[in-house]
Amino acid sequence: MTQDELKQAVARAALDYVVEGEIIGVGTGSTANFFIDELSRIRDRIQGAVASSEATAARLRSHGIPVLDLNQVERMSVYVDGADEINHQGAMIKGGGGALTREKIVASVADRFVCIADGSKLVDVLGKFALPVEVIPMAVAAVTRQLSSMGAAPVLRLKDGKPYLTDNACCIIDAMDLEIRDPVALEQVINAWPGVVSVGLFAVKGANVCLLGTVDGVKTMKF
Ligand code: 5RP
């Protein structure tokens, strides 16, 4: 099976977690895109979706799925999203696609985070994938120094030779060379630095369920 087929399999399996008649939170990235495509098949059974990025909102709309403003939504049962890495406790690195802040906000309003990922995303220790940190542009140098001082190798994310800008008009610093043994503590430390909008560690509130695509089928991990 290809990686895309594994992503498609978990996206399909995630439909079982969609609650009829409700609003669902939807993440960003290639796996989330497969989920949106699957969701379109049952779009008449949900009220609509809250999107974690402009790209996700556009894809939802292109499938005729109503997109709601999070400010109009009090709660959601479920948020479905991919991950760059997930450990055996349900802590994740996210933000490879640059949507970490909105993903964290939408996920915070949902009762359950359902992570959908191909098997390559499961790790014992987080940190091989560079940890994205979204920062206010004027804080890029200061936050870069802070990351270096804790032993990381920080790199400003670029697009077409210029700083990549998120949907929130902020920058992303990708912190490489981290071995994250205590994701909850690191999330709290980095989040507290002035200028940090959010860090792509989802550990304080991690996944509640992970649907992992493997050659032996979709495995369900509960945390
Ligand atoms: C985007 C994310 C994605 O969930 C993460 O990058 C995984 O992406 P993909 O499903 O394409 O592997 O956090 O900000």
Side-chain angles (χ1 to χ4, degrees):
M1 272 176 111
T2 65
Q3 201 176 14
D4 274 355
E5 284 168 338
L6 295 175
K7 289 179 181 186
Q8 216 160 1
V10 292
R12 197 166 305 135
L15 287 184
D16 289 346
Y17 291 81
V18 177
V19 181
E20 293 224 4
E22 282 201 6
I23 295 159
I24 184 163
V26 182
T28 297
S30 57
T31 320
N33 281 346
F34 281 120
F35 175 68
I36 295 167
D37 299 346
E38 293 293 332
L39 191 63
S40 70
R41 300 197 287 119
I42 59 158
R43 63 172 175 264
D44 297 337
R45 310 223 290 260
I46 57 168
Q47 268 186 60
V50 176
S52 61
S53 65
E54 299 297 338
T56 287
R59 196 175 185 99
L60 287 163
R61 286 195 190 99
S62 76
H63 282 303
I65 300 170
V67 176
L68 293 107
D69 181 337
L70 185 62
N71 286 311
Q72 313 303 324
V73 177
E74 224 166 276
R75 63 165 290 277
M76 287 171 279
S77 294
V78 178
Y79 174 75
V80 177
D81 199 355
D84 297 304
E85 283 184 349
I86 181 162
N87 71 10
H88 295 269
Q89 289 73 46
M92 296 166 283
I93 286 185
K94 292 183 47 54
L100 58 155
T101 298
R102 293 191 187 194
E103 289 171 343
K104 210 175 255 197
I105 294 170
V106 182
S108 76
V109 176
D111 297 338
R112 279 215 291 186
F113 189 129
V114 177
C115 174
I116 48 176
D118 66 86
S120 70
K121 308 289 183 68
L122 183 65
V123 298
D124 290 330
V125 180
L126 297 171
K128 212 171 225 153
F129 191 93
L131 177 65
V133 184
E134 182 165 354
V135 294
I136 303 280
M138 74 173 288
V140 164
V143 173
T144 298
R145 284 193 294 274
Q146 292 267 37
L147 288 165
S148 298
S149 72
M150 63 161 44
V155 177
L156 180 64
R157 193 179 293 186
L158 301 176
K159 190 180 175 192
D160 302 326
K162 295 189 190 133
Y164 168 88
L165 289 182
T166 66
D167 285 347
N168 315 307
C170 290
C171 298
I172 290 187
I173 303 169
D174 290 304
M176 297 187 290
D177 291 351
L178 282 170
E179 203 180 85
I180 305 170
R181 297 271 167 198
D182 188 345
V184 171
L186 189 63
E187 180 177 354
Q188 288 165 336
V189 166
I190 297 180
N191 264 335
W193 293 342
V196 169
V197 179
S198 67
V199 57
L201 266 175
F202 288 57
V204 173
K205 188 178 190 298
N208 301 99
V209 176
C210 177
L211 302 174
L212 198 72
T214 77
V215 284
D216 300 320
V218 175
K219 292 196 173 152
T220 304
M221 298 162 71
K222 291 188 177 164
F223 309 102

